[in-house]
Amino acid sequence: IRPPGFIGVAFSERSDGDIRNDVAARGALAAQLGVSEDWAELSQVHGRRVVRVTAPGNSGEADGLWTTEPGIPLAVFTADCYGVALVADDAVGVAHAGWRGTASGVVPRLRQEMTACGHPPSHAAVGPGIGSCCSQAGPELAEVLSEGVDNTSWGTTSADLPAGLMGQLEGAETWMAERCTRDEQGRLSHAADGAPGEHGKAGGDAGDALGLPQHHHDEERDADDVPAETAGGTGAHSTSPTRSIRRT
């Protein structure tokens, strides 16, 4: 999935395979993107720690990373959590945001750190993740996510993580995939094999977010410029709605 107007951001599809653990799948995706298969990544812990990276490899326990170094792809891996990419004129960052990360503020933390170092993100892209239709929440979570509460399709309280993330991205022009990893056929979800509100295991991850710092947001590029077959899947074949929202 390549967000229109964003040259330096991609989200994977199930058809890309397990790009976290399968060397061949990672190499194939890197080749499609035209980037190195040596990525900067993290040991994700559903927290709010953010690191700045200057080289590929694992940077330890954290859930956000960013760089100004060209040629170093950044990656976070998701299933039902959200991958969020932040793009500045000369920097890019990505975050892994599930309900814990959203509640603890990993995306604002990433945004603050980039801004404090002189690289304020002007644009953001939010990939697929579990929607409020399928993300059952207990009362304690509903209290923490007071601005991101909805109802599931079966009538219980749910965590509206997209709404919570949009609130945290206020002021940035934001594109959102609006695709639920549990509800959408053909996408991989850790909740897809469980009863409503439960989390079962289903094969590998999809919706992984990649930040490609040698490319940044291009104001002149639109959806018609995206190749029919791209790293995260096929933009031409996507039937799910997307939106670009300008926050001021």
Side-chain angles (χ1 to χ4, degrees):
I1 303 167
R2 297 300 295 269
F6 289 77
I7 300 176
V9 177
F11 299 99
S12 72
E13 292 274 19
R14 181 177 184 176
S15 58
D16 294 312
D18 183 0
I19 61 173
R20 185 175 195 172
N21 301 304
D22 186 332
V23 174
R26 177 178 295 211
L29 180 57
Q32 289 182 34
L33 281 168
V35 299
S36 169
E37 58 188 77
D38 295 322
W39 300 347
E41 55 191 72
L42 303 165
S43 296
Q44 298 166 190
V45 292
H46 299 277
R48 67 187 299 267
R49 181 170 179 258
V50 170
V51 296
R52 182 175 183 174
V53 300
T54 57
N58 190 300
S59 292
E61 293 188 351
D63 287 273
L65 70 167
W66 69 281
T67 191
T68 58
E69 300 292 329
I72 304 176
L74 311 180
V76 293
F77 304 100
T78 67
D80 294 324
C81 298
Y82 284 83
V84 181
L86 301 182
V87 182
D89 288 340
D90 52 0
V92 65
V94 292
H96 163 251
W99 72 261
R100 291 181 181 88
T102 302
S104 63
V106 65
V107 171
R109 180 69 176 269
L110 176 61
R111 190 177 183 184
Q112 289 162 7
E113 290 205 8
M114 292 176 68
T115 299
C117 292
H119 310 284
S122 58
H123 294 77
V126 182
I130 193 164
S132 61
C133 54
C134 302
S135 182
Q136 183 165 299
E140 69 286 348
L141 177 56
E143 182 177 351
V144 171
L145 295 175
S146 58
E147 295 182 359
V149 177
D150 202 348
N151 292 312
T152 63
S153 57
W154 54 93
T156 60
T157 301
S158 70
D160 190 346
L161 298 183
L165 289 169
M166 287 302 299
Q168 294 174 355
L169 292 167
E170 187 74 31
E173 184 171 343
T174 302
W175 176 94
M176 182 170 285
E178 293 190 312
R179 294 169 68 169
C180 175
T181 49
R182 184 182 190 276
D183 192 53
E184 183 177 323
Q185 184 178 4
R187 183 171 295 283
L188 189 60
S189 168
H190 284 301
D193 289 346
E198 297 179 354
H199 288 265
K201 177 64 177 174
D205 293 339
D208 304 318
L210 296 174
L212 316 172
Q214 71 272 43
H215 301 300
H216 297 301
H217 181 85
D218 185 345
E219 295 286 355
E220 301 302 321
R221 191 169 187 259
D222 59 28
D224 294 334
D225 297 321
V226 179
E229 295 187 2
T230 59
T234 55
H237 295 167
S238 173
T239 58
S240 298
T242 60
R243 63 179 177 180
S244 180
I245 302 172
R246 183 178 295 275
R247 298 283 186 173
T248 58

